Amino acid sequence: MECHICEVRSSVGYCVECHELLCETCGMPCDQCGKMSCPTHIHETKSGKALCVGCYAERRAKKEAVKAEVVHRHTHEHRAAVDTSFQTLETAPGAEGEEISNEALVASARRVVEPWKMSLYISLAGIGLGLLLLFFPSLRHVASPIGAKSFATGLLLFVFILFSIFWSWVGLRNEEFYRDRVKCFFGIAGSVVCVILAYVTISSAPVVEARPMLKNVPQRTGGESQEQLQEWRDKALQKYQR
């Protein structure tokens, strides 16, 4: 019998889907099961494989199952990572009828900042300010708003030094932080560096004198005589004399 597609060559088989007769040229065997399909009912994958309708449907079903399994696993892992409430701990497998352990409560509690870290951070901030004053001498002294003396900005370093030593003392005296007692000396060492920077910046800074303020200088009216105008000038200039 002749092929249903070309109607010239003799048939050697038939399509597994529509059962039409096919010759060896018009029929396309499935790469998975070997069954023949016509050009209408053959499916070609992205990798170039030719599959019949049944094998193609089975392939898609396996892909959908794998995809669903991956999504389900990721969703379950995400929920397990996010849900850390006490209710979940109580209803978890193996925890039914048991109290939550002290370790779980301690781990979930908010941890206090360790004193040695506070001491170290404060001393590093003081060192940063000291280096800033060291590289910019004009910032070491500022004019005081009252009087003729200036204020040494290097004195601000002692504020950092006091706070750093305070937190180091807390870490050394508190038994709760016994394991990190040695680390408290990092902040103390930073405080020593701050003391050195404070001494250098204060002792080597140029003195900036405040500009004297004019006081008790009579206001001009505009109708003064030459003698009165000269007297006003003399009084104004006397305010700048030392």
Side-chain angles (χ1 to χ4, degrees):
M1 300 181 67
E2 296 179 353
C3 174
H4 179 74
I5 302 298
C6 64
E7 297 181 353
V8 174
R9 290 177 290 273
S10 299
S11 61
V12 293
Y14 61 92
C15 176
V16 294
E17 185 66 20
C18 61
H19 302 285
E20 296 290 345
L21 298 177
L22 301 171
C23 64
E24 58 183 5
T25 303
C26 298
M28 302 180 64
C30 176
D31 292 334
Q32 185 169 337
C33 65
K35 295 179 180 180
M36 189 174 293
S37 299
C38 63
T40 305
H41 297 108
I42 196 69
H43 295 276
E44 186 174 356
T45 63
K46 294 181 180 180
S47 59
K49 291 184 177 181
L51 300 178
C52 63
V53 175
C55 294
Y56 183 75
E58 183 181 356
R59 178 188 178 91
R60 290 198 60 180
K62 289 182 179 180
K63 283 189 174 182
E64 293 294 334
V66 172
K67 184 177 180 181
E69 179 65 22
V70 172
V71 173
H72 177 73
R73 184 171 65 253
H74 287 179
T75 304
H76 181 71
E77 292 176 355
H78 177 73
R79 289 180 179 177
V82 173
D83 194 358
T84 57
S85 61
F86 290 116
Q87 183 179 1
T88 304
L89 293 176
E90 293 177 352
T91 58
E96 185 176 357
E98 299 180 1
E99 295 182 357
I100 302 175
S101 61
N102 293 331
E103 290 79 6
L105 294 175
V106 173
S108 61
R110 183 178 180 182
R111 300 190 63 182
V112 182
V113 179
E114 298 177 356
W116 74 269
K117 290 184 179 180
M118 292 293 297
S119 176
L120 180 60
Y121 295 158
I122 294 174
S123 63
L124 290 177
I127 292 174
L129 177 60
L131 293 176
L132 180 65
L133 298 177
L134 189 65
F135 288 111
F136 297 95
S138 60
L139 301 177
R140 298 177 189 176
H141 276 216
V142 293
S144 177
I146 54 176
K149 295 183 179 180
S150 58
F151 172 75
T153 53
L155 295 174
L156 297 175
L157 293 176
F158 289 98
V159 178
F160 294 92
I161 295 171
L162 292 176
F163 278 99
S164 178
I165 293 177
F166 169 76
W167 282 107
S168 295
W169 179 82
V170 172
L172 291 173
R173 297 286 297 177
N174 200 331
E175 295 182 358
E176 183 181 355
F177 307 101
Y178 178 80
R179 296 181 179 179
D180 298 325
R181 283 186 175 182
V182 179
K183 297 179 181 179
C184 294
F185 291 99
F186 295 154
I188 296 176
S191 300
V192 173
V193 177
C194 287
V195 172
I196 298 175
L197 291 174
Y199 173 77
V200 173
T201 54
I202 294 174
S203 61
S204 62
V207 178
V208 179
E209 296 184 355
R211 185 176 181 179
M213 300 176 62
L214 296 177
K215 296 182 179 179
N216 300 327
V217 178
Q219 298 292 331
R220 291 183 58 186
T221 60
E224 298 88 349
S225 61
Q226 292 295 331
E227 292 79 6
Q228 293 175 341
L229 182 60
Q230 184 63 37
E231 183 181 358
W232 180 86
R233 291 175 178 171
D234 295 338
K235 289 183 179 181
L237 292 174
Q238 287 177 4
K239 299 298 179 178
Y240 291 98
Q241 296 179 358
R242 296 180 181 178

